[in-house]
Amino acid sequence: MSKLTRINSADAPAAIGPYSQAIVAGGFLFASGQIPVNPKTGNVDSDDVTAQAHVVLKNAGAVLKEAGLSYSDVVKTTVFITDMKDFAAVNAVYAEYFSEPYPARSCVQVVALPKGVKVEAEFIAKLN
């Protein structure tokens, strides 16, 4: 049986429930959803979806960095948004963090997200 390794970055928001920021297993990193919480204050600093998307992806980057990885190691993402009208704005921000070959991705509209935020993203990354 393989051992699970927990990844925890002080530069990403602490888990607000009984879960880990990320787990390494079987050659992959499985990251919990990141929301646009400022890791230093625990607050959501903006209601703007573009600003929120940047914070989400910066938080994801902190988790990746803690594991010795980067955005280029991400193989799958799932993005949750509360309004499909925000898809283009979130997509534009997403394109600033990921490059060819882009990870596989799903984007779904949900009724609500924790702390009333507009966007959340989770990901899977391949270990080097």
Side-chain angles (χ1 to χ4, degrees):
M1 184 173 283
S2 67
K3 181 180 177 189
L4 303 179
T5 303
R6 182 172 70 129
I7 301 298
N8 187 50
S9 171
D11 294 326
I16 56 175
Y19 61 90
S20 299
Q21 286 178 341
I23 292 290
V24 172
F28 290 91
L29 178 131
F30 299 88
S32 295
Q34 290 294 318
I35 61 174
V37 169
N38 179 323
K40 307 236 183 298
T41 66
N43 296 324
V44 177
D45 295 335
S46 176
D47 191 42
D48 175 70
V49 72
T50 298
Q52 286 192 6
H54 278 290
V55 175
V56 163
L57 291 169
K58 286 176 184 174
N59 289 343
V63 174
L64 287 163
K65 183 178 178 183
E66 186 70 25
L69 302 172
S70 70
Y71 296 103
S72 65
D73 297 305
V74 175
V75 296
K76 170 73 169 90
T77 64
T78 304
V79 178
F80 306 94
I81 55 179
T82 57
D83 189 338
M84 199 52 78
K85 292 176 188 168
D86 291 331
F87 179 84
V90 171
N91 203 47
V93 172
Y94 185 94
E96 293 181 37
Y97 292 83
F98 295 101
S99 58
E100 293 278 355
Y102 297 109
R105 182 182 76 182
S106 300
C107 183
V108 295
Q109 180 175 319
V110 296
V111 173
L113 291 166
K115 296 187 174 246
V117 302
K118 295 179 177 182
V119 61
E120 178 177 0
E122 65 182 23
F123 59 90
I124 300 168
K126 177 84 170 94
L127 299 178
N128 297 329

